[in-house]
């Protein structure tokens, strides 16, 4: 998808340019592509809801990573604004929960994106409290903004939108109502619903509660401290100058993006454009990590992976393989893991998730 390349190359500009005019343009590009991605995701979500393929896919997830990523992503949207971002995440939330983390994240992002979008002054507040009840944890969530708010008539229209959305009459739902309707539909699947409290001229608060199964009851603790920076700043989370990795992707631009994102890690990076070339490389060189694109002409990523495992002359039989793809569903990660892949990254690639996966897989003595 071209937008993944645009976002990746723009990330490289943000990291490497020192010209303020260029950086300003790059920040605008980043903001615009995020909005475009939100629209694309909304269309995909609506399509899934309409064709009945949006069922819950429950799996275990790390709550500290979940909320750290969520908080950081919203902070990135506030670089150029004067809005505050108050975050209160209950430290006693269990470390590992089981639920549909993908849809839950989408609910959070839809609400937070709306709050950011409609707050011209003031700011946004995210509050998450935990109510432990036996083997379940109830997450009580409130997202508040200081936007224009809504009068009683506008609030009633929002709830009518929810009803129309549930009746599959979704074609004419536009603007903020669409994101709220999608989030509310996902909440309905989780036996929950939104509660909206708004005062015209003062702001809006949206609340909901969801039950999640407790897997690891150890408290999550404090989230990592993130710098509330107004300008873009990047520093590689690790370096691994003795590590060699292989990037397999039929798109030259996609390979360029990955190499650019990993430049500061000092790793040695080889690249090839097809599955056949990948098989040739693993037969003659040992790699610590392989990134493998799924949809490639000829031999796709899954076929390449299976042939790699069957090869006798393969120096990378035990090398971790990360699947890269822009075509994802709610169950994609589990499906790839069931096939034997060691990790999964969706395009456009999130830098923090990329580094997190790599740090987890590479030997600790190779990462500094």
């Amino acid at each position: 998808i071209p937008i993944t390349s645009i976002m990746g190359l723009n990330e490289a500009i943000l990291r490497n340019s020192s010209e303020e005019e260029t950086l300003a343009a790059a920040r605008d590009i980043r903001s615009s592509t995020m909005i475009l991605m939100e629209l694309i995701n909304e269309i995909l979500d609506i399509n899934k809801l309409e064709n009945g393929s949006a069922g819950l896919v429950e799996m275990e997830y790390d709550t500290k990573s979940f909320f750290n990523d969520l908080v950081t992503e919203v902070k990135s949207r506030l670089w150029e604004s004067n809005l505050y971002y108050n975050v209160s995440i209950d430290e006693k939330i269990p470390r590992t929960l089981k639920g549909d983390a993908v849809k839950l994240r989408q609910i959070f992002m839809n609400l937070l994106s709306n709050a950011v979008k409609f707050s011209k002054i003031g700011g946004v507040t995210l509050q998450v409290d935990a109510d432990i009840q036996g083997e379940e944890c109830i997450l009580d969530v409130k997202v508040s903004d200081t936007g224009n708010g809504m009068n009683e008539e506008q609030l009633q229209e929002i709830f009518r939108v929810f009803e129309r959305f549930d009746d599959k009459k979704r074609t004419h739902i536009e603007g903020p109502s669409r994101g709220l309707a999608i989030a509310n539909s996902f909440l309905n699947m989780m036996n929950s619903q939104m509660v909206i409290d708004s005062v015209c001229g003062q702001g809006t608060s949206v609340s909901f509660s969801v039950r999640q199964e407790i897997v690891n009851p150890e408290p999550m603790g404090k989230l990592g401290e993130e710098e509330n920076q107004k300008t873009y700043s990047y520093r590689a989370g690790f370096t691994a100058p003795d590590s060699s990795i292989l990037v397999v992707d039929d798109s030259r631009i996609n390979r360029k993006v990955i190499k650019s994102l990993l430049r500061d890690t000092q790793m040695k990076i080889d690249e090839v454009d097809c599955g056949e070339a990948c098989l040739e490389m693993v037969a003659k060189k040992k790699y610590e990590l392989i990134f493998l694109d799924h949809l490639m002409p000829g031999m796709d990523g899954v076929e390449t992976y299976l042939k790699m495992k069957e090869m006798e002359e393969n120096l990378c039989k035990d090398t971790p393989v990360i699947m890269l793809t822009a075509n994802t569903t709610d169950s994609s990660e589990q499906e790839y893991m069931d096939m034997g892949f060691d990790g999964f990254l969706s395009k456009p690639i999130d830098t923090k998730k990329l580094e997190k996966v790599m740090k987890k897989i590479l030997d600790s003595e190779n990462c500094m």
Side-chain angles (χ1 to χ4, degrees):
I1 300 177
I3 194 171
T4 66
S5 300
I6 293 170
M7 294 181 76
L9 291 172
N10 193 63
E11 176 81 8
I13 293 172
L14 284 165
R15 290 186 182 186
N16 302 319
S17 178
S18 58
E19 295 287 335
E20 183 52 41
E21 186 175 348
T22 301
L23 289 172
R27 286 191 288 266
D28 288 342
I29 291 171
R30 190 179 196 278
S31 176
S32 297
T33 51
M34 281 183 170
I35 293 171
L36 180 57
M37 285 298 295
E38 286 177 5
L39 291 173
I40 292 171
N41 287 332
E42 284 183 358
I43 292 169
L44 294 174
D45 287 335
I46 290 171
N47 184 58
K48 290 176 185 177
L49 288 165
E50 288 181 336
N51 64 28
S53 63
L56 295 178
V57 179
E58 297 189 345
M59 61 184 67
E60 297 178 10
Y61 63 96
D62 183 278
T63 54
K64 197 160 193 174
S65 295
F66 178 91
F67 286 111
N68 259 326
D69 291 346
L70 190 71
V71 170
T72 302
E73 182 167 347
V74 177
K75 276 187 177 179
S76 72
R77 302 185 182 204
L78 298 175
W79 285 335
E80 296 304 303
S81 74
N82 291 315
L83 300 177
Y84 64 72
Y85 183 28
N86 290 337
V87 177
S88 175
I89 309 292
D90 199 333
E91 295 179 23
K92 69 175 184 289
I93 294 174
R95 184 61 189 258
T96 308
L97 296 176
K98 183 176 182 181
D100 193 326
V102 174
K103 288 188 178 63
L104 187 59
R105 181 187 182 283
Q106 189 65 44
I107 292 167
F108 273 101
M109 288 308 304
N110 281 15
L111 300 188
L112 288 165
S113 294
N114 262 4
V116 171
K117 190 182 304 180
F118 294 102
S119 296
K120 303 303 181 185
I121 59 173
V124 174
T125 299
L126 169 63
Q127 180 177 344
V128 184
D129 295 314
D131 180 10
I132 310 298
Q133 296 187 359
E135 297 181 351
E136 291 185 320
C137 173
I138 300 176
L139 297 176
D140 294 314
V141 180
K142 178 184 281 189
V143 176
S144 305
D145 65 57
T146 56
N148 291 329
M150 292 177 280
N151 57 34
E152 188 61 33
E153 183 178 346
Q154 291 170 319
L155 277 173
Q156 291 303 316
E157 177 58 28
I158 290 289
F159 289 113
R160 282 193 290 270
V161 165
F162 288 174
E163 293 173 4
R164 295 205 308 273
F165 204 80
D166 290 338
D167 289 337
K168 298 186 178 181
K169 298 174 182 177
R170 306 179 175 116
T171 306
H172 303 296
I173 297 175
E174 300 177 351
S177 300
R178 184 176 53 221
L180 290 176
I182 291 170
N184 196 57
S185 290
F186 287 164
L187 283 170
N188 290 166
M189 294 180 188
M190 301 175 187
N191 298 315
S192 181
Q193 62 181 0
M194 285 183 195
V195 176
I196 303 177
D197 181 21
S198 188
V199 178
C200 194
Q202 296 184 27
T204 301
S205 293
V206 182
S207 306
F208 66 89
S209 297
V210 290
R211 289 180 177 268
Q212 304 284 273
E213 180 184 337
I214 298 174
V215 178
N216 179 0
E218 176 188 350
M220 176 185 74
K222 288 185 178 181
L223 296 184
E225 294 296 324
E226 297 286 342
E227 292 184 14
N228 192 11
Q229 296 171 316
K230 290 295 181 182
T231 58
Y232 186 89
S233 176
Y234 169 77
R235 182 178 63 185
F238 70 95
T239 57
D242 297 326
S243 296
S244 295
I245 67 171
L246 177 64
V247 179
V248 186
D249 196 309
D250 62 297
S251 168
R252 178 187 63 82
I253 294 179
N254 286 344
R255 298 195 305 273
K256 182 177 181 180
V257 166
I258 295 174
K259 291 181 69 175
S260 177
L261 293 177
L262 296 177
R263 186 183 69 175
D264 291 348
T265 66
Q266 301 176 26
M267 291 183 294
K268 302 175 182 68
I269 304 174
D270 290 338
E271 57 175 291
V272 293
D273 62 0
C274 63
E276 290 79 1
C278 172
L279 299 182
E280 293 177 6
M281 295 296 284
V282 299
K284 61 185 181 182
K285 184 172 180 179
K286 168 68 175 176
Y287 292 100
E288 278 70 48
L289 187 63
I290 297 174
F291 288 102
L292 185 57
D293 184 40
H294 188 171
L295 298 180
M296 297 185 291
M299 189 185 304
D300 70 18
V302 173
E303 292 174 301
T304 303
Y305 176 77
L306 294 176
K307 286 187 178 295
M308 282 173 56
K309 295 301 180 182
E310 296 171 355
M311 288 172 56
E312 291 187 9
E313 295 185 10
N314 179 5
L315 299 177
C316 300
K317 281 187 178 294
D318 299 322
T319 298
V321 181
I322 306 297
M323 174 60 79
L324 302 174
T325 181
N327 299 288
T328 62
T329 64
D330 294 343
S331 59
S332 291
E333 181 171 9
Q334 190 59 50
E335 290 171 358
Y336 288 126
M337 299 299 278
D338 289 344
M339 291 179 198
F341 287 91
D342 299 275
F344 160 84
L345 285 171
S346 60
K347 298 177 182 178
I349 296 172
D350 180 277
T351 305
K352 292 186 181 296
K353 291 181 180 179
L354 172 65
E355 290 191 356
K356 185 182 298 182
V357 167
M358 297 185 70
K359 286 181 70 174
K360 182 179 179 180
I361 288 177
L362 294 174
D363 293 337
S364 58
E365 64 264 24
N366 291 332
C367 297
M368 302 176 61

